[in-house]
Amino acid sequence: MKLNSVSLDAEDYKRIAKKHEPSRSVFSNCARAFLVGGVICTIGQAIQEFFKAVFDMSEREAANPTVAVLIIISIILTSMGVYDKIAQWAGAGSAVPVTGFANSMCSSALESRSEGLVLGVGANMFKLAGSVIVFGVVAAFVIGIIYAIFGIQGGHS
């Protein structure tokens, strides 16, 4: 087997790539994801309990400021380069929806800031997050139509 580009076929390439690929422990990856995801959720619960205790909020009232604080923490950690190191170690565990989404938005903004605020940060920040926003709005619209057609109450009081 020669390693020049002319004689390297697909099977040889796969064999070489497989030999140099780092081994992955599924159990270890799952354990780290579970641990970090659990820690993030526990921090979120602690923040919510703080709002309930200190500001005498109900669980429903404390939900929005809790999400805002988690987003701010994620953005600060991303800006300092810490969140990416956590994500590299934790894998999917750091992709808890709110913090993972904030991390992706902030990372895109940081990477494109040299291109300017509008064409750099503003345009590139939503390339990754745009599909999430669009599908979220479309899903909410469809669910709203279904609720309206069948007269379902949203449970808001």
Side-chain angles (χ1 to χ4, degrees):
M1 170 178 63
K2 294 182 181 180
L3 292 179
N4 62 33
S5 62
V6 175
S7 66
L8 188 65
D9 63 359
E11 290 302 317
D12 288 337
Y13 176 80
K14 285 180 186 177
R15 193 171 27 260
I16 292 169
K18 183 102 172 137
K19 187 169 74 173
H20 294 286
E21 184 178 294
S23 63
R24 297 182 209 135
S25 168
V26 173
F27 179 77
S28 174
N29 287 347
C30 289
R32 288 188 290 198
F34 179 78
L35 177 69
V36 172
V39 167
I40 291 171
C41 291
T42 302
I43 291 169
Q45 188 65 45
I47 293 167
Q48 185 174 25
E49 294 301 324
F50 170 80
F51 281 119
K52 287 167 51 178
V54 173
F55 298 107
D56 196 32
M57 293 179 165
S58 69
E59 192 163 323
R60 186 177 184 95
E61 293 170 328
N64 288 337
T66 300
V67 171
V69 170
L70 283 171
I71 289 170
I72 290 168
I73 291 171
S74 177
I75 290 171
I76 291 170
L77 291 177
T78 300
S79 299
M80 293 169 38
V82 175
Y83 198 94
D84 293 334
K85 290 178 181 163
I86 294 169
Q88 188 174 15
W89 185 80
S94 64
V96 174
V98 170
T99 57
F101 187 69
N103 170 261
S104 68
M105 295 280 292
C106 183
S107 294
S108 296
L110 290 173
E111 288 175 10
S112 56
R113 68 179 177 225
S114 64
E115 298 170 31
L117 286 177
V118 175
L119 296 177
V121 175
N124 292 319
M125 185 168 60
F126 289 102
K127 281 183 181 176
L128 179 64
S131 60
V132 175
I133 294 168
V134 168
F135 285 112
V137 170
V138 170
F141 178 76
V142 169
I143 297 296
I145 295 294
I146 292 170
Y147 273 37
I149 289 172
F150 293 107
I152 302 171
Q153 297 299 317
H156 300 288
S157 48

